[in-house]
Amino acid sequence: MTATAALDALLTRYSVGPKHLAEPGPDDAQLALMVQAALRAPDHAELVPYRFKLVRGLAKQAMAELFADAARAAGKGEEGAALDAERALRPPVTVAVVARIDLGHPLVPAHEQWAAVGGAVANFLTAAHALGFGGKMLSGAKVRNAAIATAFCEPGETLVGWIALGTPARKPTGPSRKPGPGQVLIDWP
């Protein structure tokens, strides 16, 4: 990939929500490339403080049931539970993002490990975009639901959220809502 192509992937990436994702989703080889890109993110001491857990096929139904149960536990009625279950089933592929932060690491403080998790997610999503897929990182109250967290995490891990993946059914419209570089790149002092 040329520098121009790499920059193009970075500068044209946008989030695509699950309702705008269609089949096909990425195959195993494409998912492996996305993970390879994630592994290239800055990571002090090469701790790899994250795991990606793939949800596809029959596993989507199990996740849908977890989401519906969580909706009911949060006081939503059956209509809300059905909507949350549908959200689990809609993306062709979902990837759970799990953080493994070592709070007692003698060299790498927790905030640097969290930065590595964020960098990995950004690289994963940019690689998905470069391969022609759309995706979006999702979280919300579900990541704090004990049953859902237990289903995805080992002891000491934190469920960060899910990456919904598939083929974009539409391109974004309208101007970017992000500020320009001049508003975030500031001389110090």
Side-chain angles (χ1 to χ4, degrees):
M1 176 181 273
T2 67
T4 302
L7 280 172
D8 183 60
L10 288 168
L11 296 173
T12 60
R13 197 207 72 78
Y14 53 93
S15 292
V16 181
K19 67 183 175 182
H20 301 293
L21 295 173
E23 293 287 353
D27 62 25
D28 287 345
Q30 292 162 324
L31 287 162
L33 286 171
M34 293 173 206
V35 172
Q36 286 177 341
L39 288 165
R40 298 301 298 175
D43 179 5
H44 189 180
E46 299 180 355
L47 297 179
V48 190
Y50 51 85
R51 294 294 180 267
F52 297 115
K53 297 189 177 181
L54 190 55
V55 182
R56 60 185 173 180
L58 295 177
K60 288 171 49 172
Q61 185 59 47
M63 188 170 76
E65 291 169 17
L66 281 170
F67 280 19
D69 289 344
R72 290 183 197 98
K76 295 181 181 179
E78 285 307 309
E79 187 176 316
L83 182 60
D84 279 6
E86 180 192 341
R87 288 182 178 138
L89 295 169
R90 190 176 292 146
V93 174
T94 299
V95 178
V97 179
V98 175
R100 303 176 94 179
I101 307 301
D102 181 351
L103 297 175
H105 196 278
L107 181 63
V108 185
H111 72 273
E112 289 186 20
Q113 295 175 58
W114 281 112
V117 174
V121 169
N123 280 10
F124 187 101
L125 283 165
T126 301
H129 174 70
L131 290 168
F133 296 102
K136 184 174 186 176
M137 181 74 191
L138 305 162
S139 60
K142 287 182 206 64
V143 300
R144 295 181 297 281
N145 176 279
I148 293 175
T150 298
F152 283 96
C153 297
E154 300 296 325
E157 294 180 333
T158 302
L159 179 59
V160 179
W162 298 269
I163 298 171
L165 289 169
T167 299
R170 68 169 182 86
K171 296 284 185 197
T173 58
S176 172
R177 295 183 302 256
K178 299 276 179 109
Q183 293 177 308
V184 296
L185 180 63
I186 304 161
D187 285 317
W188 180 87

